Structures are given as structure tokens and as C-alpha cells.
Amino acid sequence: MKQKSQNYGTCFKELRQLAGFKYKDLESIISKNGIVRFENGTSNISFERLAELLKFMGYTLSDFMYLSGESRVDEVYGEKFHIIRYQQGYRDDFFIPVGVNPVRLRLFESGKILLPYDVIDAMLGLMHVPEQDFSYIINGSKDDYFIHYVNWLDIIQQTEDVKTAKIIEDEVHQYANYQEIKLTILEEEVKPLAYSDEWLELHSQERLTRQYTDYRVLELTAKACHQILNDEEVTEISDFLFGIELWLEYSLGILALNAWQLPYSLVYAIISDINLHEKEYKGKLIYRRRIVQTAGRCYDTHK
């Protein structure tokens, strides 16, 4: 436990120094002596106090856990992102509007932390780089799993290939269930080492919920290609779409495939929101095609 406390203290000190914060800058949250003892590993601080300090300095708890070694980092994401950013000529302060300051960006690009996937998506959107392009680079020129299946389901829906749609639905259902099982196993394995129960719950869900949601939404979308969804399933799809802030290829594909089963008011609100950011989609044929598909399928259903 002492070694773990020292590791946490060392990690916090590194983040504090990288962000350029002195002890006096944090006195409104914790005293200088409290920080010194924490950084030296001679005392601990509460979960709530740590979260407050990290937020004040521009970090998240996930950043802290990655840097402290509690979570494994897939370095390829930051490495490839840096290549794209450098080639596009974007400065390191360009992503502040989506919550990524230059320090967090350097940690991400150097492979020390992994940013949430929705944040990476938002950063790609700011650079006008389609998700699919980034996925090709990450996966060694192989199509992203989710985008590949959205494109496949698009063809299936047009050809009314019920058999294949059901096969995809069953396959993705297994992946979604696996994510739930994985979360349970992780909780049991990490709990003895967790900083607190709240920390464990937050970190476990942040790592796995996004993947589960993507698989579950893809499962329901495959089902929607061969049968009517029930009210609960329509609500699941609607909640997913309602939470999208930056519409990119995968989310637009899900919207287009499900538009005919969704409430007209929801689709109208989404299209209106997308129109407010029209410049994001100019020159991107796949984006415009999905938007047109959405409007057309919704019109055919509700006319």
C-alpha cells in the first residue's frame, strides 16, 4: 500500500509540474503541506479532493490512472494522431474547445494517457478528418469494425437480406454480452487495488461502457433491418443519438439506418442541429449521403 501511495504521489507531482502549478496555486483546495505529504507518499488524500485538484489543473481521473499505470495505454492512438495533426499543421492549443489542453495533448501523443474515444472523435472533427481515415491508419489500412458493419447493413437494408441481417445481429449481440462480462471480471480483479469504490466504478464504466454501447446500438440497428423494434429498443437508439455532440461517419450511419423507425420529432431535431454545423460536412460525400438518406427514409415513413 505504501508503494502504491508513493506511485500516486509521484504521478500527481508529474502532472502538477507539467501543468506549471505551484503549491500556492492549489491552496484554495489543499494546503502546501498536504500536497507535499501526498507527493512524497507519506499520506493520502480523499477521492473527492484528488478529483477536484485534477479538474482544477485541467486533467481527468482517467488521465491520472493511465499515468499511474493502473490502466494500459494503447500508444498507437496518440502516435497516429500526432502524425495527422502535424501533417495538417494544427497547433497544440487548437483542441482546447473540446477539453484537451496542450499538456493533455502531449501526454496523449506521447503514449502516456489515452483520451476517451468520443473526445478523439471530436478532435478529428475539428480537423475535418473523417473517423474512417483515422481508423484506416490505426488498423493498418483495414476498415474500422463498426463503420464496416454500418456500410454492410446499408446494403442489406436496400436488398432486404433478412438472413444476413440476423447473422450480424447475433454476432454483435455476443460481443455486447462479452463487454458486460468483461466489466464484471474487471471489477473483481481491480477492486483490491482500487483507490476507492467510487474510483473503480467510474474508471471501469468509462473504459467499457462506450464499447458496450457501440455494440448494443449496432445490434439493434441490425435487428431494425429485418423487423420492427419495440418501444424500449427505440428508446435505446434514441438515447444514443440524443447524446451525440459531433456527428461523424458511424453515428450518421446509425441515424440513417434507423430513421424510418424513430419518432419524427427526434429526427427533425437532429437534422436541424446538423444543419447548424453545415460547414463540417461540406466536401464529405459520405456525410452528406447519410444525411440525405436519413431525411428520405424519415419522409417515406411519416408522409
Side-chain angles (χ1 to χ4, degrees):
M1 182 60 71
K2 182 177 180 181
Q3 183 178 2
K4 193 178 186 73
S5 296
Q6 289 177 335
N7 182 41
Y8 288 154
T10 300
C11 173
F12 181 85
K13 184 176 183 179
E14 180 177 352
L15 289 174
R16 178 179 63 78
Q17 292 178 338
L18 283 172
F21 280 87
K22 301 183 181 301
Y23 297 127
K24 64 179 181 180
D25 299 324
L26 306 174
E27 285 181 342
S28 61
I29 302 174
I30 188 173
S31 67
K32 174 182 177 180
N33 288 336
I35 297 178
V36 171
R37 290 196 298 270
F38 176 52
E39 292 182 346
N40 290 339
T42 56
S43 70
N44 223 327
I45 59 176
S46 69
F47 170 82
E48 292 77 16
R49 185 66 55 82
L50 176 61
E52 187 178 0
L53 286 165
L54 291 170
K55 182 178 181 180
F56 185 80
M57 294 190 296
Y59 300 109
T60 68
L61 283 166
S62 285
D63 297 341
F64 185 82
M65 293 195 71
Y66 280 119
L67 195 62
S68 65
E70 292 291 341
S71 306
R72 187 183 68 84
V73 178
D74 191 342
E75 299 176 358
V76 69
Y77 282 89
E79 175 189 337
K80 301 302 183 183
F81 186 90
H82 174 74
I83 293 173
I84 293 174
R85 180 177 69 84
Y86 184 78
Q87 290 177 342
Q88 297 282 345
Y90 286 98
R91 294 171 30 156
D92 60 2
D93 60 354
F94 183 72
F95 306 100
I96 291 177
V98 294
V100 182
N101 58 44
V103 176
R104 289 189 77 200
L105 182 65
R106 287 196 295 273
L107 290 170
F108 169 57
E109 293 184 341
S110 63
K112 293 185 177 181
I113 67 171
L114 181 61
L115 296 173
Y117 296 119
D118 58 329
V119 173
I120 297 176
D121 288 348
M123 294 164 72
L124 292 171
L126 287 177
M127 295 191 297
H128 307 290
V129 175
E131 284 178 294
Q132 189 172 29
D133 290 355
F134 188 63
S135 297
Y136 274 124
I137 296 173
I138 294 296
N139 298 315
S141 299
K142 296 179 181 178
D143 204 354
D144 175 81
Y145 176 91
F146 295 102
I147 294 176
H148 168 75
Y149 272 84
V150 163
N151 291 333
W152 194 3
L153 288 172
D154 187 27
I155 297 173
I156 288 170
Q157 193 174 74
Q158 295 177 41
T159 59
E160 299 182 355
D161 186 354
V162 173
K163 182 179 179 181
T164 305
K166 187 66 171 66
I167 291 173
I168 294 175
E169 179 191 350
D170 292 341
E171 175 187 319
V172 180
H173 175 74
Q174 293 179 13
Y175 283 117
N177 280 351
Y178 172 70
Q179 291 300 315
E180 289 190 305
I181 295 171
K182 187 177 177 182
L183 177 57
T184 302
I185 294 174
L186 180 67
E187 287 176 345
E188 294 303 316
E189 289 181 346
V190 179
K191 193 168 185 177
L193 303 175
Y195 190 82
S196 71
D197 290 339
E198 294 90 346
W199 181 316
L200 172 66
E201 181 179 358
L202 175 67
H203 179 57
S204 299
Q205 291 181 357
E206 184 173 324
R207 291 179 62 192
L208 298 176
T209 300
R210 171 65 188 271
Q211 282 186 302
Y212 169 77
T213 300
D214 282 343
Y215 283 122
R216 174 59 176 165
V217 167
L218 192 59
E219 174 192 348
L220 293 177
T221 301
K223 182 177 180 179
C225 288
H226 67 87
Q227 71 181 80
I228 301 295
L229 300 178
N230 60 42
D231 291 344
E232 290 77 14
E233 291 167 337
V234 170
T235 298
E236 279 192 69
I237 294 289
S238 299
D239 288 346
F240 169 80
L241 295 172
F242 189 75
I244 300 296
E245 295 185 6
L246 183 66
W247 291 89
L248 298 175
E249 187 173 352
Y250 175 63
S251 51
L252 283 171
I254 294 295
L255 173 63
L257 287 167
N258 288 280
W260 68 283
Q261 295 211 45
L262 297 172
Y264 174 78
S265 57
L266 174 66
V267 178
Y268 180 82
I270 288 174
I271 293 296
S272 298
D273 181 63
I274 289 173
N275 286 336
L276 293 176
H277 304 85
E278 180 184 359
K279 64 179 182 179
E280 303 290 339
Y281 308 102
K282 284 185 176 179
K284 297 177 183 177
L285 179 60
I286 184 62
Y287 287 14
R288 299 203 312 273
R289 184 163 71 87
R290 294 299 189 203
I291 294 170
V292 172
Q293 282 180 327
T294 299
R297 289 167 181 170
C298 185
Y299 174 79
D300 289 340
T301 303
H302 296 284
K303 65 181 178 180

